[in-house]
Amino acid sequence: MNRYPLWKYLLVLTALVLGVLYSVPNLFGEAPAVQVSTSKNNISLDAALMGQVESTLKQANIEFDNLFLDANGVKVRFDTPETQIKAKDALQAALGKDYVIALNLVSRSPSWLSKLGALPMYLGLDLRGGVHFLLEVNMQAALTQAAERYAGDFRSALRKARINYSGINREGQTVQIRFRDSAELDKAKKIINRDYPDLTVKEQESGNEKILIASLSLASQKQIQEFAIKQNIQTLHNRINELGVAEPIIQQQGLERIVVQLPGVQDTAKAKEILGRTATLEIRMVDEEKTDPVTLENAAKGQVPFGTEFFKQRSGEPILIKKSVVLTGDYITDAGPGLDQQSGQSVVHVSLDSRGAGIFKQVTRENVGKRMAILIVEKGQAEVITAPVIQEEIGGGRVQISGMANIREATDVALLLRAGSLAAPMDIIEERTVGPSMGEANIERGRHSVLWGFAAIAIFMIAYYMLFGTVSVLALGINLLLLVALLSLLQATLTLPGIAAIALTLGMAIDANVLINERIREELANGNTPQAAIKAGYDRAFDTILDSNVTTMIAGLALFMFGTGPVKGFAVVHVLGILTSMFSAVIVSRAAVNLIYGYRRKVNKLSIG
């Protein structure tokens, strides 16, 4: 009557073994480590690099616990943070500018567990320490940049169609095209309406000139703003990959904000520097016709000629640059720091895609002998890095940016350009740093809350239900084991709300055993034999247990679907806890009871209080 078939016992045993195997790595904790990754796409991360890292550390007499290669690079584990810092300095000096040396934390679990796929769960910012940023995207700048792109497109389209116009300029988020002839205006309007249906076009007169004003429609503005958020999130992902952060959280908050959480990052100043910068590349032509001292002096006072912008180069020399952008960072496929072979100065080598290479080749062919300015734009402020004279046509898609102050600046600029340009500038409006010691304290408090809650439940159940209460506690312990193993197997990120969900799961999971035990008591009170009471108790309580857990899971799934951040983390643990509690409360506890009572020929009394 109360005997399980062999396969069910094997199922419980297998679940128990796997639970132990996949939960054990979480007991070893984390150790300070150094991660070595490349700053160039043409350098591979392989065993040769691992050997170079090992020999460098041995020559510097720096002891390390473990050294291994994974998808993010070579990682070296140390005993103390002091050794970690020494190793970073030694590796940076030995490997040079082509590699990114980042401080990180890695698990102390043995390598044989990692080979079996048994890895610890990721810890969130509140448990592991790290940095939290709240970034606000400048949506007006995104619309302005879009208008600037349309101005350049109009010049090319009208020039190709041989339509005469007096000038094209951007006024705020609109583009104005001036004509002297109404027929030419009508031709241009027809082309713009045909090729740019997302723009609203209207006509206006100013003296003898006729003006065509093109502005973005409301639908286009919304689309551009949504694209700006998505592109900025993708760019942030690329930049964080350069830092080598495991399980970062990058998500949209509201209409214009992005939350970035970097658990385990110890070099917070570097993280803020990389994420907070908004460098984009612009290539423009220098206005060669306005280089006389009087014009430059008047421009410095604010009287800038139409269609140009006034800048000062790093040497202090004033310069007037055309507003029209020839090329942007959108065409960059790779960028890396280097040294100029002739001058020995720090430079950035940039590779362009096929379209960008074609544009750059045409521009340099048409402007031999003229100056081309290369600008880095950060947070809406442009800086002229260099303005060399074009000596000859440049093809092949390889561009060298000189004018870097040092190799550090060249490395940072290359990283930003390689990670991709931002669709719109962003400002850090909130920053929080959680130290590793605070994270350890949170883990300790969370562990105590779970253990004390488990102990309180265990005391009550054993005192009230005696042997059946002990079985319930055993099933509850296996439930906790399986939940931790499942979170580790899925490589979920555990946060403080997740620990709260674990404690809640323990309290809810014991409800099923209480229902079963009370049902068995009722069956005994109705005069059933002990064996029949056990069978009826489990069978008849199952429907109630299933209903209650399904309704609770619906609420958990709703939290997961509509929640964000901590709410979603709570929901993940909550839903997984319901699944493990159903298995442990019904199958595991029944298996234990069957082992105790199922093989007895005669049972006179049950130890159920």
Side-chain angles (χ1 to χ4, degrees):
M1 180 183 291
N2 290 310
R3 296 182 183 180
Y4 261 172
L6 179 61
W7 70 268
K8 284 194 176 183
Y9 287 114
L10 291 177
L11 175 64
V12 172
L13 181 62
T14 302
L16 187 58
V17 171
L18 292 177
V20 172
L21 180 66
Y22 283 97
S23 60
V24 159
N26 295 285
L27 300 177
F28 292 96
E30 292 183 315
V34 166
Q35 175 176 291
V36 182
S37 58
T38 180
S39 61
K40 288 187 175 181
N41 291 341
N42 58 353
I43 298 179
S44 58
L45 301 171
D46 50 21
L49 175 61
M50 192 163 63
Q52 188 177 359
V53 170
E54 184 177 7
S55 62
T56 300
L57 295 177
K58 287 182 178 179
Q59 289 176 6
N61 294 321
I62 298 175
E63 296 183 357
F64 57 90
D65 290 343
N66 191 19
L67 183 147
F68 59 94
L69 178 67
D70 63 9
N72 293 321
V74 177
K75 292 183 179 177
V76 192
R77 194 176 70 200
F78 303 95
D79 273 337
T80 62
E82 291 77 12
T83 311
Q84 177 195 34
I85 299 298
K86 291 180 182 178
K88 179 188 177 183
D89 295 338
L91 290 172
Q92 191 72 71
L95 298 178
K97 61 184 180 298
D98 292 338
Y99 294 92
V100 176
I101 315 297
L103 302 178
N104 216 323
L105 296 170
V106 298
S107 173
R108 295 180 186 269
S109 60
S111 57
W112 65 269
L113 279 174
S114 301
K115 291 177 181 178
L116 293 174
L119 302 171
M121 69 183 86
Y122 290 118
L123 299 180
L125 185 70
D126 46 7
L127 299 180
R128 195 182 188 194
V131 63
H132 165 100
F133 294 115
L134 181 61
L135 307 170
E136 187 170 56
V137 181
N138 188 340
M139 291 300 184
Q140 296 303 313
L143 297 176
T144 301
Q145 290 176 9
E148 191 68 48
R149 286 196 299 270
Y150 280 118
D153 293 343
F154 291 164
R155 291 187 184 94
S156 300
L158 297 182
R159 192 179 300 121
K160 184 177 180 180
R162 300 182 181 277
I163 296 176
N164 296 320
Y165 60 92
S166 302
I168 297 178
N169 65 291
R170 177 185 59 81
E171 293 291 337
Q173 295 170 7
T174 64
V175 179
Q176 297 185 1
I177 312 173
R178 298 185 303 280
F179 300 89
R180 292 190 178 91
D181 188 356
S182 299
E184 298 296 305
L185 181 145
D186 292 336
K187 293 179 184 178
K189 185 177 181 180
K190 184 177 180 180
I191 291 176
I192 293 174
N193 286 331
R194 181 193 66 196
D195 297 341
Y196 305 96
D198 53 344
L199 296 179
T200 301
V201 182
K202 64 179 182 179
E203 299 178 22
Q204 181 179 311
E205 291 189 5
S206 176
N208 296 327
E209 284 190 325
K210 297 170 178 58
I211 303 174
L212 202 62
I213 300 175
S215 59
L216 291 163
S217 63
L218 293 178
S220 298
Q221 292 181 24
K222 184 179 179 181
Q223 184 178 3
I224 290 171
Q225 291 174 344
E226 290 176 351
F227 173 78
I229 283 283
K230 291 179 180 178
Q231 182 175 333
N232 282 12
I233 289 176
Q234 182 60 47
T235 301
L236 289 174
H237 269 292
N238 294 338
R239 293 184 179 182
I240 289 167
N241 287 339
E242 298 281 353
L243 293 171
V245 180
E247 287 297 300
I249 296 174
I250 307 171
Q251 59 190 16
Q252 183 177 346
Q253 184 180 86
L255 297 176
E256 301 180 353
R257 294 181 177 181
I258 299 173
V259 173
V260 178
Q261 292 186 357
L262 308 177
V265 169
Q266 294 173 283
D267 200 348
T268 54
K270 185 68 174 178
K272 181 178 180 180
E273 178 186 357
I274 295 301
L275 297 181
R277 294 182 65 178
T278 57
T280 57
L281 178 71
E282 288 185 359
I283 297 178
R284 307 189 202 172
M285 297 304 300
V286 176
D287 195 332
E288 303 286 355
E289 299 176 357
K290 302 180 177 66
T291 57
D292 58 281
V294 176
T295 303
L296 292 174
E297 185 178 350
N298 291 334
K301 296 178 181 178
Q303 300 174 9
V304 183
F306 180 78
T308 64
E309 287 187 81
F310 176 77
F311 291 97
K312 281 191 176 181
Q313 300 184 68
R314 290 187 168 183
S315 61
E317 179 187 353
I319 188 173
L320 284 172
I321 298 176
K322 295 180 179 179
K323 287 185 177 181
S324 176
V325 178
V326 174
L327 205 66
T328 66
D330 295 336
Y331 301 99
I332 292 176
T333 59
D334 192 18
L339 295 174
D340 184 77
Q341 295 181 353
Q342 296 180 353
S343 64
Q345 294 181 342
S346 299
V347 297
V348 176
H349 298 291
V350 176
S351 298
L352 304 174
D353 61 16
S354 58
R355 186 181 174 192
I359 295 173
F360 193 74
K361 182 178 180 180
Q362 180 182 352
V363 169
T364 53
R365 181 175 65 245
E366 295 174 353
N367 294 278
V368 174
K370 298 180 180 179
R371 297 175 71 189
M372 171 184 285
I374 299 176
L375 300 88
I376 296 293
V377 184
E378 289 194 66
K379 296 184 179 179
Q381 299 295 321
E383 179 186 11
V384 178
I385 301 299
T386 182
V389 177
I390 301 173
Q391 303 291 345
E392 59 184 1
E393 176 186 318
I394 302 174
R398 292 283 296 175
V399 182
Q400 177 177 293
I401 303 176
S402 58
M404 300 293 118
N406 48 49
I407 192 64
R408 179 181 178 85
E409 182 185 9
T411 301
D412 288 347
V413 170
L415 189 156
L416 292 169
L417 295 178
R418 185 172 60 252
S421 61
L422 293 166
M426 295 186 299
D427 294 315
I428 298 176
I429 60 174
E430 182 184 334
E431 175 191 354
R432 294 200 306 267
T433 301
V434 180
S437 58
M438 184 179 295
E440 290 178 3
N442 288 338
I443 292 174
E444 193 65 23
R445 292 191 190 101
R447 184 185 296 118
H448 283 167
S449 64
V450 172
L451 292 179
W452 281 109
F454 185 90
I457 293 171
I459 292 172
F460 172 80
M461 291 298 292
I462 293 173
Y464 197 72
Y465 292 111
M466 301 177 70
L467 180 59
F468 274 77
T470 304
V471 171
S472 300
V473 172
L474 174 65
L476 190 63
I478 293 176
N479 176 34
L480 179 60
L481 178 72
L482 295 178
L483 178 57
V484 173
L486 196 56
L487 289 170
S488 301
L489 184 63
L490 297 176
Q491 287 291 273
T493 300
L494 183 67
T495 60
L496 273 177
I499 293 180
I502 292 176
L504 178 63
T505 297
L506 294 179
M508 293 174 57
I510 204 65
D511 285 349
N513 293 106
V514 171
L515 288 172
I516 293 170
N517 293 342
E518 287 298 326
R519 190 69 189 187
I520 293 174
R521 278 182 168 183
E522 289 181 9
E523 296 296 330
L524 290 174
N526 291 334
N528 286 334
T529 63
Q531 294 285 16
I534 292 173
K535 185 178 187 307
Y538 275 96
D539 291 345
R540 294 176 182 176
F542 179 77
D543 291 340
T544 306
I545 295 170
L546 181 63
D547 291 345
S548 63
N549 280 280
V550 166
T551 52
T552 308
M553 183 175 287
I554 291 172
L557 291 174
L559 288 174
F560 179 78
M561 291 170 61
F562 301 109
T564 58
V567 175
K568 182 168 288 191
F570 177 91
V572 169
V573 180
H574 179 61
V575 170
L576 293 177
I578 291 173
L579 298 177
T580 57
S581 65
M582 282 285 292
F583 178 80
S584 61
V586 176
I587 296 178
V588 174
S589 67
R590 181 74 181 270
V593 170
N594 287 353
L595 282 174
I596 296 171
Y597 289 106
Y599 291 90
R600 296 185 187 180
R601 291 188 176 181
K602 188 176 181 180
V603 179
N604 296 321
K605 186 178 180 182
L606 297 179
S607 178
I608 196 170

